[in-house]
Amino acid sequence: MFRIAYRSNLCPHTKSADIDRIVAIANSRNADLQITGAWMLHDGDCLAAIEGPPLAVREIMDTIWDDPRHTDVNLMHMEQCDDRLFSGWALRFLPKKAVEADPQLQSHAGLTWLSGFAGGLNAFYAPRQTGAPTSAAH
Ligand SMILES: Cc1cc2nc3c(=O)[nH]c(=O)nc-3n(C[C@H](O)[C@H](O)[C@H](O)COP(=O)(O)O)c2cc1C
């Protein structure tokens, strides 16, 4: 089997209805191809992993790469593996609220591994700086 982790930025025009559509299609297609995975999303920042048969991972990754609903797709990691880290999830969608609400997710081995590419779960889901100057800066 093969596993990859990637990071990307959701485009500003991608709305929650688009996300719902992506997750629905991904769940059915990944299940057909024996792919499992997770998609963490916070403030437009995507961190995701898929794993499964190498050719299937490649096929899915080709479509993800070209998907105009996100940009700056950055392949963070790829590895051969014997076991799945995301068993039972065709593509689990994980906005901050979902992870906050479920302590089991906070210690999930796959999410610990995936979020490691962004400094850990807390760092990934931390409030983002807007770039606007704060009053303390004056
Ligand atoms: C961040 C992100 C993750 C995605 N993950 C998957 C996935 O795991 N499996 C999948 O089939 N499609 C995934 N998609 C959607 C595909 O890029 C593609 O749109 C989908 O497979 C169907 O293609 P179509 O909408 O052109 O028919 C993802 C899209 C984005 C933006």
Side-chain angles (χ1 to χ4, degrees):
M1 277 200 314
F2 205 63
R3 176 159 50 237
I4 61 176
Y6 64 92
R7 200 162 182 175
S8 67
N9 295 315
L10 212 60
C11 293
H13 61 75
T14 305
K15 304 296 180 213
S16 68
D18 300 306
I19 294 173
D20 291 347
R21 211 168 302 129
I22 291 170
V23 172
I25 289 174
N27 268 290
S28 113
R29 210 162 143 229
N30 290 6
D32 287 347
L33 292 169
Q34 294 178 301
I35 297 276
T36 46
W39 173 14
M40 297 166 57
L41 175 69
H42 184 51
D43 280 352
D45 192 353
C46 304
L47 181 61
I50 54 173
E51 62 192 4
L55 286 179
V57 169
R58 188 181 165 162
E59 182 185 329
I60 296 277
M61 202 56 213
D62 276 349
T63 69
I64 291 174
W65 214 267
D66 292 335
D67 195 316
R69 292 165 291 195
H70 66 162
T71 179
D72 306 320
V73 182
N74 188 357
L75 189 59
M76 315 282 290
H77 184 80
M78 53 176 143
E79 65 185 13
Q80 276 189 314
C81 53
D82 296 324
D83 299 314
R84 290 180 188 266
L85 280 174
F86 303 98
S87 293
W89 298 351
L91 185 70
R92 180 80 185 254
F93 178 58
L94 293 161
K96 183 179 186 173
K97 270 192 281 183
V99 177
E100 268 179 350
D102 187 343
Q104 284 191 349
L105 291 176
Q106 292 157 26
S107 56
H108 184 277
L111 294 187
T112 302
W113 175 84
L114 178 58
S115 65
F117 295 104
L121 270 187
N122 289 339
F124 182 78
Y125 289 122
R128 301 299 161 96
Q129 291 190 337
T130 60
T134 63
S135 53
H138 296 287

